[in-house]
Amino acid sequence: MVTADHSRGQVILIGAIALAFIILGIVVVFNGVLYTETISSSGTSQATTDAELAEHELETAVVTLGKEVNNNESFGSDAFEGALEGPDGLHTEYRNTTSNSRSAFVHVELVDTTTGTVFLDQKSEKLNFNESDEELGHFEVELLDADGNVTVEANRTHDDPDTVEIEGNGADGYEVVDESCEITGEHVRVDLLTGSVNATTEGDCSTLALIEDGESYSDIELEVDGADGTYDYAKLDDGDDVISAELEFTYESNDVSVHDEETEIRIYGGES
């Protein structure tokens, strides 16, 4: 995935870091307002809240940076690490940006990354995923119009297939066939690895966690009947796309010290 035009890759990489900071700036302003409304008068509570906010800001920026690196093949396989930890990387720029507003030391270190191949925004007409012992790091379905049916059948290697069918019921949203799960909203994203939904749910929606983490799959079929949307998935193979990043996060101030030895950030599928 490395091209000979290194100068172009450097320019795009700088743009990716800049975009991450734009998103980060929005998060800082928005979350600052929300956290201010709930902060206690206690100095320790204030410091703890600041630490949580700093970790959330960095997680949002890392996700944005990971997606930008994955979307540009000219970066190369080691671009994510350099953009995060390099002299002009996200970690250094974040500390410089926040040093005037927080009397604290914030440090993030990349421990490891999980890489593979990402397939994004595929039109959800039909998917026939036929591979030999492939493990998935992401699988998400986006539904756009609360109409029609989507059926996903996942066959673990040497095992019987698991199936989930999501049916649109008009303006009210969706329901999982033969289950008590109901989803409110016309435009929803369903993470079939974790079972999470970016909308209000009622009932038992555990069957939405169709893909088991750490399991290999020989066959996955997605069939669409009158529904509109897309699907994304990522294979944990020899590809260079960053699927998740494991970080060490440290926040130290006069009032509180926070050190998370292992924080996994998923680049796709929302927050960890």
Side-chain angles (χ1 to χ4, degrees):
M1 297 178 65
V2 182
T3 68
D5 189 358
H6 297 293
S7 60
R8 180 177 179 274
Q10 290 175 350
V11 171
I12 299 176
L13 185 56
I14 292 172
I17 297 176
L19 180 59
F21 267 95
I22 292 173
I23 301 298
L24 180 59
I26 296 173
V27 172
V28 170
V29 173
F30 180 72
N31 284 283
V33 173
L34 295 181
Y35 275 90
T36 300
E37 293 177 353
T38 57
I39 283 177
S40 163
S41 59
S42 166
T44 301
S45 297
Q46 169 79 57
T48 301
T49 301
D50 284 344
E52 293 172 350
L53 179 57
E55 188 170 12
H56 178 67
E57 290 170 354
L58 281 168
E59 178 170 345
T60 303
V62 167
V63 168
T64 302
L65 185 63
K67 290 179 179 179
E68 286 300 307
V69 170
N70 289 345
N71 290 340
N72 292 274
E73 294 185 358
S74 58
F75 285 169
S77 59
D78 59 348
F80 179 78
E81 180 178 357
L84 179 63
E85 295 188 321
D88 298 320
L90 179 63
H91 171 221
T92 301
E93 293 301 321
Y94 178 79
R95 286 199 302 180
N96 293 340
T97 302
T98 58
S99 60
N100 294 328
S101 60
R102 292 190 179 116
S103 56
F105 170 78
V106 181
H107 178 77
V108 60
E109 181 178 347
L110 181 64
V111 178
D112 196 10
T113 58
T114 300
T115 58
T117 305
V118 177
F119 300 85
L120 298 177
D121 297 330
Q122 308 293 310
K123 186 67 177 177
S124 61
E125 295 175 350
K126 190 170 184 180
L127 164 68
N128 286 317
F129 174 88
N130 296 299
E131 300 288 345
S132 176
D133 295 340
E134 289 285 354
E135 185 180 347
L136 297 179
H138 170 69
F139 196 104
E140 192 170 68
V141 176
E142 180 181 41
L143 304 171
L144 298 176
D145 57 5
D147 194 15
N149 293 14
V150 175
T151 302
V152 183
E153 182 179 279
N155 185 20
R156 288 174 294 181
T157 305
H158 311 304
D159 204 345
D160 294 328
D162 298 316
T163 303
V164 63
E165 182 178 358
I166 304 173
E167 181 180 45
N169 56 12
D172 294 334
Y174 306 84
E175 61 183 21
V176 179
V177 178
D178 297 330
E179 302 290 344
S180 62
C181 176
E182 295 183 358
I183 304 171
T184 303
E186 293 187 23
H187 183 183
V188 303
R189 293 187 70 90
V190 181
D191 188 330
L192 295 176
L193 220 72
T194 65
S196 63
V197 183
N198 71 333
T200 302
T201 61
E202 293 184 10
D204 182 8
C205 298
S206 59
T207 55
L208 291 177
L210 182 70
I211 309 298
E212 291 193 31
D213 189 21
E215 290 286 345
S216 296
Y217 285 82
S218 59
D219 181 66
I220 295 178
E221 294 185 2
L222 183 147
E223 295 186 358
V224 179
D225 182 11
D228 186 22
T230 61
Y231 63 86
D232 307 338
Y233 68 96
K235 298 190 297 184
L236 302 182
D237 54 16
D238 296 330
D240 292 328
D241 293 327
V242 180
I243 310 299
S244 66
E246 184 178 329
L247 305 177
E248 283 191 7
F249 171 80
T250 302
Y251 180 97
E252 293 183 355
S253 69
N254 293 331
D255 299 306
V256 67
S257 178
V258 177
H259 178 71
D260 293 331
E261 292 187 357
E262 295 182 1
T263 298
E264 183 180 15
I265 296 177
R266 298 173 60 220
I267 304 301
Y268 300 95
E271 297 180 358
S272 57

